[in-house]
Amino acid sequence: MVIKEAKLGSIVPMTISVVLRPGLPHLPKLNMVASLAVVRSIQWVTSLKPLIKWPNDVLIQGKKASGMLSDSSVRGLGPKRATPRRWMRMAISR
């Protein structure tokens, strides 16, 4: 996992990049899990009430505060030998 914090006053103060290797059945759920993690983190740190705009944005007071980008690949032959991989990048802007 890579966490970068930008300089004060920049548009995107924090980004997180991570490569996950979930089981194949869990691959479609990862965007939802990432969005929920960002919302709960914002709630825990602040008194704000963020909302999720599916599939990959988090809004605070109607304005976009975070977004997720993801890409998946599956390697291997057959469902028992397949190795899924998902790259995710999350950015929190305000």
Side-chain angles (χ1 to χ4, degrees):
M1 178 168 48
V2 177
I3 300 175
K4 292 184 179 182
E5 191 171 339
K7 295 178 182 176
L8 187 62
S10 68
I11 295 173
V12 181
M14 184 173 67
T15 61
I16 300 168
S17 297
V18 63
V19 175
L20 304 168
R21 289 177 172 78
L24 198 54
H26 302 293
L27 198 59
K29 303 173 192 172
L30 290 179
N31 264 22
M32 291 186 276
V33 171
S35 294
L36 289 169
V38 169
V39 164
R40 290 183 178 171
S41 297
I42 292 170
Q43 289 173 335
W44 187 63
V45 173
T46 71
S47 60
L48 300 172
K49 304 280 187 220
L51 299 172
I52 298 172
K53 179 183 171 191
W54 297 111
N56 61 351
D57 292 333
V58 174
L59 307 177
I60 297 176
Q61 297 176 343
K63 295 181 180 178
K64 184 174 176 178
S66 176
M68 268 68 61
L69 296 173
S70 66
D71 189 22
S72 301
S73 66
V74 178
R75 294 182 184 189
L77 301 171
K80 291 186 177 184
R81 297 183 65 196
T83 305
R85 182 174 63 183
R86 174 160 275 186
W87 170 86
M88 297 195 77
R89 183 174 185 184
M90 296 163 267
I92 300 174
S93 60
R94 297 176 200 253

